[in-house]
Amino acid sequence: MGRRASSQVNRSTCTRAVNAELQTESKPQSRADPSVEEEVVVVGGGIAGLSTALALHRMGIKSLVLESAPGPRDSGAAIALWRNAWRALDVLGVGEKLRHDYILLDRVQLCTKKGKVVREFGLDEVKGGPHEYRGVHRSALLKVLASELPEGTVRYGTSVQQVLPLDGGQGTELILGGGERLSAKVVIGCDGTKSAVARHLALPQPNYAGYSAIRGVANFPNGHNQKSAVRQIWGAGVRAGTYPMNRTDVYWFTVFNSPEEEPCPSCGRHGTEAAGAGLGRGWGGDILNIIRATPAEATTRSDIRDRWTLPKPVGGQSTWGRGSVTVAGDAAHPMTPNLGQGGCAALEDAVVLARELAKAKVSNDTKTSQNGHRADKSTSLDPQAVEDVLRRYERERIPRAAKLTVQSWVYGTLLQIGFPPVTFARDNVVVPYLFQPDHWLDHTLYDCGELPTS
Ligand SMILES: Cc1cc2nc3c(=O)[nH]c(=O)nc-3n(C[C@H](O)[C@H](O)[C@H](O)COP(=O)(O)OP(=O)(O)OC[C@H]3O[C@@H](n4cnc5c(N)ncnc54)[C@H](O)[C@@H]3O)c2cc1C
């Protein structure tokens, strides 16, 4: 599968400047404390962090997750999970815990902004089925992942401020908020688009894509009347979408061209205001009613950013990791949400990373660490082997993430075109008569593989 993805990346003809070469990092001072306290520290307890910790746990590798938020997140609207994500969740052993609470979406409706459906198709018409597509509450996904971790795995209210290499190159020191220091054999940065770990690795800052999104979940206590379909509504430089999640909740989003970090034009920062002002003017169908059924505090605005990474290492050097430090999820591959794949790809990362890291496990059970403590057999990693397996993980994941990032950007750029002749042709010719959904979900056919049982 990795080989297939890699060849597809190399075929990409997009001309956008690729900002991927590792910048030279001003050499941080290394510390002379040789005792490594933790085997694996995962920085960030979002989708990437918790799924990575769970995958490691399934492989008998203990980890400590450091999360800056004071407790489990209960906001963040919804996330669409496609077949590749469900596959990863099943490998992690939690797919069934979520699946039954959420509707299986089986149709797609492409609409003009007035609400006219110009193209509708079933997911069973898309090649590679059966497809699985459900929108789940982010908080529910995080809760399910965390519930399978041994107690004490996640340390909330702990922010990583700085990442430093330990002398001798076998381990990393983390400086936490409040000045506490912690050392680890392996550090995995799952700390999102503003990642401190990515900064330590001198990864380039993500680029603004030119548009922002507002999203929310509307609640209809007596039930909604939505079909099990995802609806996309396309205007000029602004679009929206909805899908039902369960009997009472409907997810919606709007995406609009906007200067970076500007409030959306004439509508303030919240979706409910957006519905009442310029953003949704002239929209038909029930999108505005759905948006209005959402309290302002249940909406989120995000400026959309991504980072393009070369699918092959530059000068033999990985574009993601170095030494015993690597990244996963948005810290590794921030991408635009147009394919709905950022979180799905984070789940894939977790499985591949744990499978590789397990190859560095030390087999004897009497290993003694340098500070004299007996290390637990199930969590002991060979520091010599760690770097190799991390680079193998990166080689497997970088081409996959690079392809998703570019494809998502292209899709978003086309959909955000605001030039009326182009949108007229889209709504009246391209979508109703030329668009074929056959290969629409090829990117969700990726299989992250299993976690070996021994
Ligand atoms: C509008 C929009 C819609 C989207 N829709 C979808 C979709 O439908 N499907 C999909 O798959 N993806 C979607 N995505 C992408 C998806 O949200 C992300 O890819 C996913 O949340 C990434 O998870 P993560 O754990 O890598 O990062 P995050 O969710 O950002 O989690 C990072 C965590 O690290 C913590 N942290 C940060 N810095 C530190 C630090 N220094 N120390 C300790 N902790 C730290 C944060 O508090 C946070 O909990 C969407 C994104 C957007 C913006």
Side-chain angles (χ1 to χ4, degrees), residues 43-49 66-69 73 79-80 138 158-160 190-192 196 213 215 251 302 304 328-331 337 340-344:
V43 183
I47 298 169
L66 304 177
E67 166 56 49
S68 54
R73 219 188 307 170
I79 185 162
R138 282 174 186 256
T158 308
S159 171
V160 171
C190 296
D191 45 347
R215 56 202 147 132
Y251 170 78
S302 315
I304 305 302
D330 277 9
Q341 278 293 320
C344 301

Coordinates of all heavy atoms in Angstrom, one line a residue, residues 43-49 66-69 73 79-80 138 158-160 190-192 196 213 215 251 302 304 328-331 337 340-344, ligand 1:
V43 N 3.7 13.9 23.4 CA 3.3 15.3 23.7 C 2.0 15.6 23.0 O 1.9 15.6 21.8 CB 4.4 16.3 23.3 CG1 4.0 17.7 23.7 CG2 5.8 15.9 23.9
G44 N 0.9 15.8 23.8 CA -0.4 16.2 23.2 C -1.3 15.0 23.3 O -1.0 13.9 23.0
G45 N -2.5 15.3 23.9 CA -3.5 14.2 24.1 C -4.7 14.4 23.2 O -5.9 14.2 23.7
G46 N -4.6 14.8 22.0 CA -5.7 14.9 21.0 C -5.8 13.5 20.3 O -5.4 12.5 20.9
I47 N -6.4 13.5 19.1 CA -6.6 12.2 18.4 C -5.3 11.5 18.2 O -5.2 10.3 18.5 CB -7.3 12.5 17.1 CG1 -8.7 13.2 17.3 CG2 -7.5 11.2 16.3 CD1 -9.4 13.7 16.1
A48 N -4.3 12.2 17.7 CA -3.0 11.6 17.4 C -2.4 11.0 18.7 O -1.9 9.9 18.8 CB -2.1 12.5 16.7
G49 N -2.4 11.9 19.8 CA -1.7 11.5 21.0 C -2.3 10.3 21.7 O -1.6 9.3 22.0
L66 N 1.5 13.8 27.8 CA 1.5 15.1 28.4 C 0.5 16.0 27.6 O 0.7 16.3 26.4 CB 2.9 15.7 28.4 CG 4.0 14.9 29.1 CD1 5.3 15.6 29.0 CD2 3.6 14.6 30.6
E67 N -0.5 16.5 28.3 CA -1.5 17.3 27.6 C -1.7 18.6 28.3 O -1.9 18.6 29.5 CB -2.9 16.5 27.5 CG -4.1 17.3 27.1 CD -4.0 18.1 25.8 OE1 -3.6 17.5 24.8 OE2 -4.3 19.3 25.8
S68 N -1.6 19.7 27.5 CA -1.6 21.0 28.2 C -3.0 21.4 28.7 O -3.2 22.1 29.7 CB -1.1 22.1 27.2 OG -1.8 22.0 26.0
A69 N -4.1 20.9 28.1 CA -5.5 21.2 28.6 C -5.7 20.7 30.0 O -5.1 19.6 30.3 CB -6.5 20.6 27.6
R73 N -11.1 16.9 26.7 CA -11.7 17.9 25.9 C -13.2 17.6 25.7 O -13.5 16.4 25.4 CB -11.1 18.0 24.6 CG -11.0 19.5 24.1 CD -10.5 19.6 22.6 NE -9.2 18.8 22.4 CZ -8.8 18.6 21.2 NH1 -9.4 19.0 20.1 NH2 -7.6 18.0 21.0
I79 N -16.2 15.1 13.9 CA -15.2 14.8 12.9 C -15.7 13.6 12.1 O -16.3 12.7 12.6 CB -13.9 14.4 13.6 CG1 -12.8 14.2 12.6 CG2 -14.0 13.2 14.6 CD1 -11.4 14.2 13.2
A80 N -15.6 13.8 10.8 CA -16.0 12.7 9.9 C -14.9 11.6 9.8 O -13.8 12.0 9.6 CB -16.3 13.3 8.5
R138 N -16.2 14.7 18.5 CA -14.7 14.6 18.8 C -14.5 14.1 20.3 O -13.6 13.3 20.6 CB -14.0 15.9 18.6 CG -13.8 16.2 17.2 CD -13.2 17.6 17.0 NE -13.1 17.9 15.5 CZ -12.0 17.9 14.8 NH1 -10.9 17.6 15.4 NH2 -12.0 18.1 13.5
T158 N -0.4 19.8 31.6 CA 1.1 19.7 31.6 C 1.5 20.1 30.2 O 1.3 19.4 29.2 CB 1.6 18.3 31.8 OG1 1.0 17.8 33.1 CG2 3.1 18.3 32.0
S159 N 2.1 21.3 30.1 CA 2.5 21.8 28.8 C 4.0 21.7 28.6 O 4.8 22.0 29.5 CB 2.1 23.3 28.8 OG 2.6 23.9 27.7
V160 N 4.4 21.2 27.5 CA 5.8 21.0 27.1 C 6.3 22.3 26.5 O 5.7 22.8 25.5 CB 6.0 19.9 26.1 CG1 7.5 19.9 25.6 CG2 5.7 18.5 26.8
C190 N 2.7 15.0 19.3 CA 1.3 14.9 18.8 C 0.6 16.2 19.2 O -0.5 16.1 19.6 CB 0.6 13.7 19.3 SG 1.3 12.1 18.8
D191 N 1.4 17.3 19.1 CA 0.9 18.5 19.7 C 0.3 19.5 18.7 O 0.4 20.7 18.9 CB 1.9 19.1 20.6 CG 3.3 19.1 20.0 OD1 3.5 18.5 19.0 OD2 4.2 19.8 20.6
G192 N -0.2 19.0 17.6 CA -1.0 19.8 16.7 C -0.2 20.7 15.8 O 1.0 20.7 15.7
A196 N 5.3 22.2 19.6 CA 6.6 22.6 20.1 C 7.6 21.6 19.7 O 8.8 21.9 19.5 CB 6.5 22.6 21.7
A213 N -12.8 28.4 8.4 CA -14.0 27.5 8.6 C -14.7 27.9 9.9 O -14.0 28.2 10.9 CB -13.6 26.1 8.5
R215 N -17.6 25.9 12.2 CA -18.3 24.6 12.3 C -19.0 24.5 13.6 O -18.7 25.2 14.6 CB -17.4 23.4 12.0 CG -16.3 23.4 13.0 CD -15.1 22.5 12.5 NE -13.9 23.1 12.9 CZ -12.9 22.4 13.5 NH1 -13.0 21.1 13.6 NH2 -11.8 23.0 13.9
Y251 N -24.2 18.0 12.2 CA -23.0 18.7 12.0 C -23.1 19.6 10.8 O -23.7 19.3 9.8 CB -21.8 17.8 11.8 CG -20.5 18.4 11.4 CD1 -19.7 19.1 12.4 CD2 -20.1 18.4 10.1 CE1 -18.5 19.7 12.0 CE2 -18.9 19.0 9.7 CZ -18.1 19.7 10.7 OH -16.9 20.3 10.3
S302 N -11.8 28.2 12.6 CA -10.4 27.8 12.4 C -9.9 28.4 11.1 O -10.6 28.3 10.1 CB -10.3 26.3 12.3 OG -11.0 25.6 13.2
I304 N -7.5 27.9 8.1 CA -7.1 26.7 7.6 C -5.6 26.7 7.1 O -5.3 27.6 6.3 CB -8.0 26.2 6.4 CG1 -9.5 26.2 6.9 CG2 -7.6 24.9 5.8 CD1 -9.7 25.3 8.1
A328 N 3.6 13.0 14.9 CA 2.4 12.3 14.3 C 1.2 13.3 14.3 O 1.2 14.3 15.0 CB 2.1 11.1 15.1
G329 N 0.2 13.0 13.5 CA -1.0 13.8 13.4 C -0.7 15.2 12.8 O 0.2 15.3 12.0
D330 N -1.4 16.2 13.3 CA -1.2 17.5 12.7 C 0.2 18.1 12.9 O 0.6 19.0 12.2 CB -2.3 18.5 13.3 CG -3.6 18.4 12.6 OD1 -3.8 17.5 11.8 OD2 -4.5 19.3 12.9
A331 N 0.8 17.6 14.0 CA 2.2 18.1 14.2 C 3.1 17.7 13.0 O 4.0 18.4 12.6 CB 2.8 17.5 15.5
P337 N -8.9 20.7 5.5 CA -9.9 19.7 5.9 C -10.8 19.3 4.7 O -11.8 18.6 4.9 CB -10.7 20.4 7.0 CG -10.6 21.8 6.7 CD -9.3 22.1 6.0
G340 N -11.5 15.8 4.6 CA -11.9 15.2 5.9 C -10.9 14.1 6.3 O -11.3 13.0 6.7
Q341 N -9.6 14.3 6.2 CA -8.7 13.2 6.4 C -7.6 13.5 7.5 O -6.8 12.6 7.8 CB -8.0 12.9 5.1 CG -8.8 12.0 4.2 CD -9.0 10.6 4.7 OE1 -8.0 10.0 5.3 NE2 -10.2 10.1 4.6
G342 N -7.5 14.7 8.0 CA -6.4 15.0 9.0 C -6.5 14.0 10.2 O -5.5 13.4 10.6
G343 N -7.7 13.9 10.8 CA -7.8 13.0 11.9 C -7.7 11.6 11.5 O -7.1 10.7 12.3
C344 N -8.3 11.2 10.4 CA -8.2 9.8 9.9 C -6.7 9.4 9.7 O -6.3 8.3 10.1 CB -8.9 9.7 8.6 SG -10.6 10.1 8.6
Ligands
LIG1 C1 -12.6 22.9 10.0 C2 -11.9 21.5 10.2 C3 -12.6 20.4 9.9 C4 -12.0 19.1 10.0 N1 -12.7 18.0 9.7 C5 -12.1 16.8 9.7 C6 -12.8 15.6 9.4 O1 -14.0 15.7 9.1 N2 -12.2 14.4 9.4 C7 -10.8 14.4 9.8 O2 -10.3 13.3 9.8 N3 -10.1 15.5 10.1 C8 -10.7 16.7 10.1 N4 -10.1 17.8 10.4 C9 -8.6 17.7 10.9 C10 -8.6 17.2 12.3 O3 -9.3 18.0 13.1 C11 -7.1 17.1 12.8 O4 -6.3 16.5 11.8 C12 -7.0 16.4 14.1 O5 -7.7 17.0 15.1 C13 -5.5 16.3 14.5 O6 -5.4 15.7 15.7 P1 -4.0 15.9 16.5 O7 -4.2 15.1 17.7 O8 -2.9 15.7 15.6 O9 -4.0 17.5 16.9 P2 -4.9 18.3 17.9 O10 -6.3 17.9 17.8 O11 -4.6 19.8 17.6 O12 -4.4 17.9 19.3 C14 -3.1 18.4 19.8 C15 -3.2 18.3 21.3 O13 -1.9 18.7 21.8 C16 -2.1 19.6 22.9 N5 -0.9 20.4 23.0 C17 -0.5 21.3 22.1 N6 0.7 21.9 22.4 C18 1.1 21.2 23.6 C19 2.2 21.3 24.4 N7 3.2 22.1 24.1 N8 2.3 20.5 25.5 C20 1.3 19.6 25.8 N9 0.2 19.5 25.0 C21 0.1 20.3 23.9 C22 -3.3 20.3 22.6 O14 -4.0 20.9 23.7 C23 -4.2 19.3 21.9 O15 -5.0 18.6 22.8 C24 -10.7 19.0 10.4 C25 -10.0 20.2 10.7 C26 -10.6 21.4 10.6 C27 -9.8 22.7 11.0

